[in-house]
Amino acid sequence: MSYYPEILSGKLNAKYTWLVTGAAGFIGSHLTEALLSVGQNVKGLDDFSTGTQENINAALNNSGHAENFTLINASITDLVMFYIMPRSRQFLSLCNSR
Ligand SMILES: NC(=O)c1ccc[n+]([C@@H]2O[C@H](COP(=O)([O-])OP(=O)(O)OC[C@H]3O[C@@H](n4cnc5c(N)ncnc54)[C@H](O)[C@@H]3O)[C@@H](O)[C@H]2O)c1
């Protein structure tokens, strides 16, 4: 996360794709909102064990950049995701349809 302060202050011009774990929770949804607000891409991972879709909706609405967000409905413990995810749109669809 060493880039985070630079991103928030607008000093970093590069656009990255960030994986935010717990994106439907309190901290994760605010982090997602902050990153989207400065034009970054976010993949939000959450299994909705305690988080809510409402938190994500609020982050997307407040950021004004919902188009740069992808929801991954899966558990971080599902480690196979990290080997398959970069290459497989099908796997992402599978996660979202759980
Ligand atoms: N208004 C406020 O000030 C306020 C509101 C809520 C919470 N809080 C504080 O925030 C802290 C909690 O926030 P948080 O964001 O750490 O907790 P959280 O429960 O809000 O977020 C954790 C997220 O991780 C997800 N998650 C859990 N296990 C997972 C797994 N294996 N794979 C994928 N996702 C998984 C949950 O579904 C949840 O969305 C507490 O200290 C609480 O008191 C403050």
Side-chain angles (χ1 to χ4, degrees), residues 22-28 45-52 74-77:
F26 180 67
I27 294 170
L45 170 71
D46 208 292
D47 66 357
F48 291 94
S49 52
T50 61
T52 66
S75 172
I76 190 71
T77 59

Side-chain angles (χ1 to χ4, degrees), residues 84-98:
I84 298 172
M85 188 177 74
R87 292 180 288 278
S88 174
R89 285 169 187 255
Q90 270 185 332
F91 187 78
L92 286 177
S93 300
L94 194 72
C95 290
N96 281 324
S97 65
R98 260 191 201 172

Side-chain angles (χ1 to χ4, degrees), residues 19-67:
L19 176 65
V20 175
T21 57
F26 180 67
I27 294 170
S29 62
H30 284 89
L31 180 57
T32 294
E33 179 180 326
L35 290 167
L36 290 174
S37 295
V38 292
Q40 298 292 306
N41 294 317
V42 175
K43 291 186 189 297
L45 170 71
D46 208 292
D47 66 357
F48 291 94
S49 52
T50 61
T52 66
Q53 183 64 48
E54 286 70 26
N55 284 343
I56 289 180
N57 293 344
L60 299 186
N61 289 336
N62 293 340
S63 74
H65 290 287
E67 72 279 6

